[in-house]
Amino acid sequence: KAGVTQTPRYLIKTRGQQVTLSCSPISGHRSVSWYQQTPGQGLQFLFEYFSETQRNKGNFPGRFSGRQFSNSRSEMNVSTLELGDSALYLCASSWDRESGYTFGSGTRLTVV
Amino acid sequence: GENVEQHPSTLSVQEGDSAVIKCTYSDSASNYFPWYKQELGKRPQLIIDIRSNVGEKKDQRIAVTLNKTAKHFSLHITETQPEDSAVYFCAAYGSSNTGKLIFGQGTTLQVKP
């Protein structure tokens, strides 16, 4: 089966700009979770969407937002970028017995 | 709040030795505990997981043990090989916290040939 697809793989943005990242889960999966990975804070949960509804949200400022479309693809948006937003952003598809939560390859965001 | 503590942060072993990584979780409602391996520049990949109604699970050279009373779980890798070198993350999931994995800080495992 096709895996979790994240685009783009790399992004460089300037402080103050905004950015949109995309995640397509495994075909047939209806849930997408987003995580931020940094060397200092590790993997931290951002939010989770199921059937176009946000079911859970982590402790991140309102500059971080997301949405999910009817085809289960999800986007996350970060507005007014700060240097500290530089990170690897990972999304995960719904849990299944064989693979647990499957992660995409991530989007590496660098804010300069 | 929810928290997962993971130790050690780095671990170096000789090829063929065993490696043990330990995690402690805070949320007693947690009922699912996966372990992920992340190689440099790659995505985290599930290597083994355990549910709270099971005390131990094995898959070839990898095993996980869970002590619900102590809120403690461990990863055991036997007969380590250089390709086991990576960062390993433990995580905890509670059914009351939909879609949210709480991760430990990670352990960098180096297996010396």
Side-chain angles (χ1 to χ4, degrees), chain A residues 44-106:
Chain A
Q44 293 190 292
F45 173 80
L46 281 155
F47 26 65
E48 189 248 5
Y49 286 87
F50 178 82
S51 292
E52 302 179 65
T53 300
Q54 186 183 89
R55 294 199 297 188
N56 205 349
K57 189 177 190 306
N59 295 324
F60 279 82
R63 301 185 297 107
F64 292 81
S65 63
R67 59 178 176 169
Q68 187 180 33
F69 302 94
S70 58
N71 63 356
S72 295
R73 187 178 71 86
S74 177
E75 290 181 347
M76 69 163 280
N77 183 275
V78 188
S79 62
T80 320
L81 284 165
E82 300 176 0
L83 295 179
D85 297 333
S86 295
L88 179 66
Y89 289 88
L90 293 159
C91 73
S93 195
S94 303
W95 184 89
D96 69 46
R97 182 179 295 274
E98 182 181 311
S99 312
Y101 288 96
T102 300
F103 283 88
S105 296

